[in-house]
Amino acid sequence: MNRKEFLRLCGIAMPFSLMGIPTNMLSAPKNPKRKKFSFAFFTDVHLNTENRGHCNEGLQKALADAKKRNVDFILFGGDNVETDHLGQENEQTANNLHARFRKIIDESGTTCHFTIGNHDRYYFCEGEKDATGYKLFEKYFGKSQHSFDHKGVHFIALNSLNPDPNGQFCIGSEQMEWLKNDLNSIGKERPVVVSLHVPMLSLYYPVVEGNFKGIDMVTDTKAVFELLKAYNLKLILQGHQHIHEEILERNHQFITGGAISANWWNGSLADTEEGYILVHVDADYNFSWEYIDYQWEAIK
């Protein structure tokens, strides 16, 4: 049993010393500049087939909370649903779950963009085997790697699930080539925000579990980071860990976005409540953010 399955079953909450007041808020300017726009980063919803933990209602509440804060859009960080464990005989169930998620999103009336997570995979599509597990996600949410622009900011959603030679998560050489071309097309001045599910940089294991496992991060972090930092990189938004952490590495900001579901709809996880990252961009493209507890209480 891996640590995430253990925590999900046991509902263990552990202290996490790096959480609390966002580091960027400690030095917030006294006279903040006029806001250009805001967006929300939702990750790890884990909508499930049985509506376990009343996940449908929890997602609806999170969407309503973000909408009342006048976000321009929501960027999802992956693990929207739980289909990766379903077999071929459950293809209709897998389709229904993706469709239910899509319906809840559409009914919210909020523009949304999507990043793929490991639990979003399903290894069959239209009756055929899908070795990557990406096709069903793409049927409902678009390409698993894509980019878009919004009010002068370039957003990139990466697929962090490609296997490296040892079967670990990575971005991979083919996607790296796509990323190079995408970045070349925007130049060095445009602000860049990157979303991926499996983190490029995380302290989950040493801080929460007290060990160094070298897993649950992409294995080609250095190559990806070396490429990105040559551009006007503002934020790297990550999921997967279900904790809120912020790492400032040589003036580059990595933010792990907690989870809409927290401990898989069983309450808080390692002092991180059910929540999301709310990002503000001012008229000069300065970025600030805060962790929003959308006040969901787990229903046992």
Side-chain angles (χ1 to χ4, degrees), residues 182-225:
D182 184 75
L183 290 168
N184 284 338
S185 73
I186 66 165
K188 297 294 180 73
E189 302 301 320
R190 194 179 309 178
V192 174
V193 174
V194 174
S195 168
L196 73 168
H197 182 68
V198 179
M200 287 176 60
L201 188 62
S202 172
L203 292 173
Y204 181 97
Y205 284 104
V207 174
V208 176
E209 293 193 356
N211 54 56
F212 291 83
K213 290 187 175 180
I215 61 174
D216 277 349
M217 290 191 294
V218 295
T219 57
D220 48 0
T221 287
K222 181 173 173 56
V224 180
F225 183 57

Side-chain angles (χ1 to χ4, degrees), residues 182-283:
D182 184 75
L183 290 168
N184 284 338
S185 73
I186 66 165
K188 297 294 180 73
E189 302 301 320
R190 194 179 309 178
V192 174
V193 174
V194 174
S195 168
L196 73 168
H197 182 68
V198 179
M200 287 176 60
L201 188 62
S202 172
L203 292 173
Y204 181 97
Y205 284 104
V207 174
V208 176
E209 293 193 356
N211 54 56
F212 291 83
K213 290 187 175 180
I215 61 174
D216 277 349
M217 290 191 294
V218 295
T219 57
D220 48 0
T221 287
K222 181 173 173 56
V224 180
F225 183 57
E226 289 297 323
L227 173 59
L228 288 170
K229 74 177 187 177
Y231 293 81
N232 189 12
L233 178 63
K234 293 292 188 178
L235 290 177
I236 296 175
L237 299 170
Q238 315 173 135
H240 195 55
Q241 307 291 48
H242 289 232
I243 60 172
H244 171 212
E245 60 181 346
E246 300 181 13
I247 303 173
L248 182 65
E249 205 287 324
R250 286 176 290 180
N251 206 35
H252 292 94
Q253 188 73 55
F254 296 77
I255 303 176
T256 308
I260 294 296
S261 65
N263 189 11
W264 291 265
W265 302 106
N266 289 310
S268 64
L269 173 66
D271 296 338
T272 299
E273 296 289 339
E274 297 90 346
Y276 62 91
I277 303 296
L278 179 63
V279 182
H280 308 287
V281 183
D282 75 15

Side-chain angles (χ1 to χ4, degrees), residues 18-70:
L18 294 186
M19 288 178 277
I21 300 173
T23 54
N24 68 299
M25 300 303 288
L26 295 175
S27 57
K30 294 181 180 178
N31 298 304
K33 293 184 173 66
R34 179 173 51 86
K35 186 178 77 170
K36 192 175 186 70
F37 70 95
S38 297
F39 71 94
F41 180 65
F42 280 28
T43 190
D44 293 273
V45 175
H46 287 275
L47 208 71
N48 55 70
T49 54
E50 309 89 1
N51 195 27
R52 186 178 61 253
H54 297 264
C55 57
N56 295 346
E57 294 79 5
L59 174 57
Q60 288 166 340
K61 183 169 184 176
L63 289 163
D65 188 273
K67 188 172 184 177
K68 77 180 182 183
R69 298 175 194 274
N70 297 313

Side-chain angles (χ1 to χ4, degrees), residues 162-173 219-220:
N162 296 304
D164 74 2
N166 296 314
Q168 300 296 314
F169 294 126
C170 77
I171 301 303
S173 58
T219 57
D220 48 0

